Amino acid sequence: MSAIKECTLQLLCAICRALDNPLIIFLDDMQWADEASMDMLNVLLTSSELKNLMFICAYRSNEVDVEHSFSKLMDDVVKGDESVENMELFSLSPTSITSFIADSVKKEEDAEVQELSNAVYQITMGNIFFTKQALEELVRKNILFYDMMCFEWRWVVTKVELANNMSADVVESVLGKIRDLPGEMQELLSLMAYIPNAMDVPTLKALICRDGDSYEESEVEDLLRQSSDEGMLLLASPNWIFAHDRIRQASLRFASEKSCSEETLLHISSVLLAEGADREWCQYVAVDILNSLPAEMTDCTELVKLNLKVSHLARNSGALGKENALLHKGLESLKSSGMTWKNEY
C-alpha cells in the first residue's frame, strides 16, 4: 500500500474513533471516478480497521456496465461484506411529472395539464432535469406562454405539435438555450466547459480577458450571477460550477462549434499555468489540454518538462496510472521535437 493511502486510512480511522456518531461520506458520479480514486476507495472499503463509517456511492447505472472499474470494485466488496446494499433510484412517474408541471404553471388540478404532461413525459421519461429543460424550451419557442389577458399559462397546440417542438436529447435542448444567451455569457460558459473544476472569480477574469476584451472582477461577478439566474451555473462559495453536467456538455459542444477552438485551448492552458502555479489541479488540466493539441501548436520542449513535473505530482498523490500516462506523453513530445538524446535527457 502506498504511503498516501495508508495515511488516509489511518486519518479516517482516528476521526471515526473520536466521533460519537457514525461518519457518512457521500461520493457522487462514481461513473467518472479515475483509477487512483478507485484504488483509494478499494483500500477504504476493504479495510478491517475502519469502523463507525458509512459510504454512500451514487452512479448512473446506464453508464456503468459489468466491465466498468466501479462495478468490478463493488463486486469485490460485496463478496467480503454482507452489509453492502444496492438501491436503485428510478425516474419520476407520469403522475409525479403531471403534478410537477401543474404546480409549475399554477394549475390547481392535474387534469388541466394532462395533455402537456403526456407530451413532456413521452420525451423525458420522468427525468426531472430533462423535464425542466423541455418546459423552458417550450417557453423559448412561445409554445407555452403566459397570457397577460387571462393571467394564466397557456398552450394552444396539439400533443403532436408539443412533442415536435421539444428536443429528444437533453444536451441538444440545453444547447438551444445557450445559443439564445448573450455573447458574453456564451463566452464564459464556453471557457468554463473545458475545465472540469470549480472556478474562482480571479481565474475566470483572466480567462475571459482576451482578444482585446477587458473586464473588472465586479463585471465578471455580474456575468456569473446572470448565468446563475439562467440556471446555467451555481455558486459553491467562493467558486462557481455548472448547475448540471449536461449543461457543461452542451457548453462544450457549443464551444467546439467555433472555428478557433484550438486557440481557445491554448489560451486556457496558458492562463491556468500562470494563475495556478500553486494549485495542482490547474497544472493537471493545463497539461491534459496541451497534450491534446497538435504538436505544431505547442512548445515541445516546455511540454516535456511540464509532463515530467505533473507526473511527479501524480506519483506523490498515489496516482501511478496518471504518472505513467504523463511520462509516455512526455516521451512522445520529446520524440516529436527531434531533440531526443541531443539537448534534452
Side-chain angles (χ1 to χ4, degrees):
M1 187 189 304
S2 69
I4 192 167
K5 293 175 186 174
E6 177 65 26
C7 289
T8 302
L9 174 60
Q10 294 306 319
L11 175 62
L12 274 177
C13 286
I15 292 173
C16 292
R17 281 195 297 267
L19 295 176
D20 294 328
N21 298 307
L23 174 65
I24 298 176
I25 297 179
F26 177 71
L27 303 175
D28 199 8
D29 290 323
M30 291 305 300
Q31 71 275 5
W32 295 331
D34 58 19
E35 181 184 344
S37 300
M38 290 294 187
D39 289 343
M40 175 65 77
L41 188 58
N42 185 35
V43 169
L44 299 177
L45 290 177
T46 56
S47 171
S48 58
E49 300 178 62
L50 202 49
K51 309 291 184 182
N52 207 31
L53 174 63
M54 173 186 284
F55 278 100
I56 301 176
C57 301
Y59 64 97
R60 291 177 182 164
S61 56
N62 63 324
E63 296 182 25
V64 176
D65 57 23
V66 292
E67 296 301 318
H68 195 282
S69 55
F70 181 68
S71 181
K72 293 178 179 178
L73 169 62
M74 293 314 299
D75 286 343
D76 292 340
V77 172
V78 169
K79 290 176 184 176
D81 191 346
E82 296 180 355
S83 65
V84 177
E85 294 187 16
N86 185 44
M87 180 184 298
E88 189 167 358
L89 302 180
F90 298 97
S91 297
L92 297 180
S93 66
T95 301
S96 297
I97 291 295
T98 301
S99 297
F100 171 77
I101 293 176
D103 182 67
S104 299
V105 297
K106 309 300 181 186
K107 298 292 185 182
E108 294 184 1
E109 300 293 333
D110 289 0
E112 296 181 77
V113 299
Q114 195 64 59
E115 184 179 54
L116 174 61
S117 175
N118 290 343
V120 170
Y121 190 86
Q122 185 178 356
I123 297 293
T124 67
M125 299 306 294
N127 181 302
I128 189 61
F129 175 74
F130 197 176
T131 298
K132 292 180 186 178
Q133 296 304 315
L135 291 174
E136 286 189 20
E137 186 173 14
L138 291 175
V139 172
R140 289 198 304 275
K141 293 179 178 179
N142 209 33
I143 304 298
L144 176 62
F145 61 95
Y146 190 76
D147 191 328
M148 297 298 294
M149 299 295 292
C150 301
F151 300 106
E152 65 176 1
W153 286 94
R154 300 185 64 191
W155 59 97
V156 290
V157 296
T158 65
K159 178 182 175 181
V160 173
E161 290 174 301
L162 282 168
N164 289 340
N165 279 282
M166 289 183 285
S167 302
D169 177 13
V170 64
V171 175
E172 189 63 36
S173 178
V174 178
L175 184 58
K177 180 176 181 177
I178 293 174
R179 289 182 178 130
D180 290 336
L181 294 175
E184 289 180 334
M185 202 178 298
Q186 291 176 344
E187 177 71 3
L188 177 69
L189 296 175
S190 296
L191 291 168
M192 291 183 66
Y194 287 109
I195 303 171
N197 299 69
M199 301 289 293
D200 59 82
V201 174
T203 304
L204 285 170
K205 175 180 178 291
L207 282 171
I208 204 169
C209 289
R210 63 168 184 156
D211 299 331
D213 294 331
S214 179
Y215 294 86
E216 298 295 329
E217 279 197 13
S218 59
E219 294 177 302
V220 177
E221 289 172 347
D222 286 342
L223 194 54
L224 288 165
R225 280 192 287 268
Q226 292 170 30
S227 301
S228 177
D229 291 341
E230 291 289 345
M232 298 285 107
L233 301 176
L234 289 176
L235 174 60
S237 188
N239 299 323
W240 289 85
I241 59 174
F242 281 101
H244 197 279
D245 65 278
R246 299 301 188 196
I247 298 175
R248 179 171 179 257
Q249 281 182 265
S251 299
L252 193 58
R253 188 184 296 183
F254 178 82
S256 65
E257 292 175 353
K258 299 179 180 179
S259 58
C260 56
S261 58
E262 290 181 342
E263 286 79 4
T264 297
L265 288 173
L266 201 58
H267 165 71
I268 292 172
S269 62
S270 64
V271 169
L272 291 179
L273 290 174
E275 296 288 320
D278 58 343
R279 288 178 286 180
E280 289 187 6
W281 74 262
C282 288
Q283 297 175 63
Y284 275 107
V285 175
V287 76
D288 284 342
I289 288 175
L290 290 171
N291 283 333
S292 71
L293 293 172
E296 59 270 17
M297 292 193 67
T298 62
D299 182 329
C300 291
T301 303
E302 291 302 315
L303 184 53
V304 170
K305 294 177 181 178
L306 184 59
N307 272 289
L308 183 60
K309 177 184 177 182
V310 181
S311 72
H312 290 163
L313 295 176
R315 180 180 60 195
N316 292 338
S317 64
L320 301 184
K322 184 66 174 179
E323 177 197 17
N324 186 54
L326 289 169
L327 289 174
H328 276 86
K329 282 291 185 181
L331 287 172
E332 289 176 14
S333 296
L334 191 59
K335 184 178 180 181
S336 64
S337 70
M339 302 305 293
T340 310
W341 302 116
K342 293 182 180 179
N343 297 334
E344 302 292 341
Y345 295 92

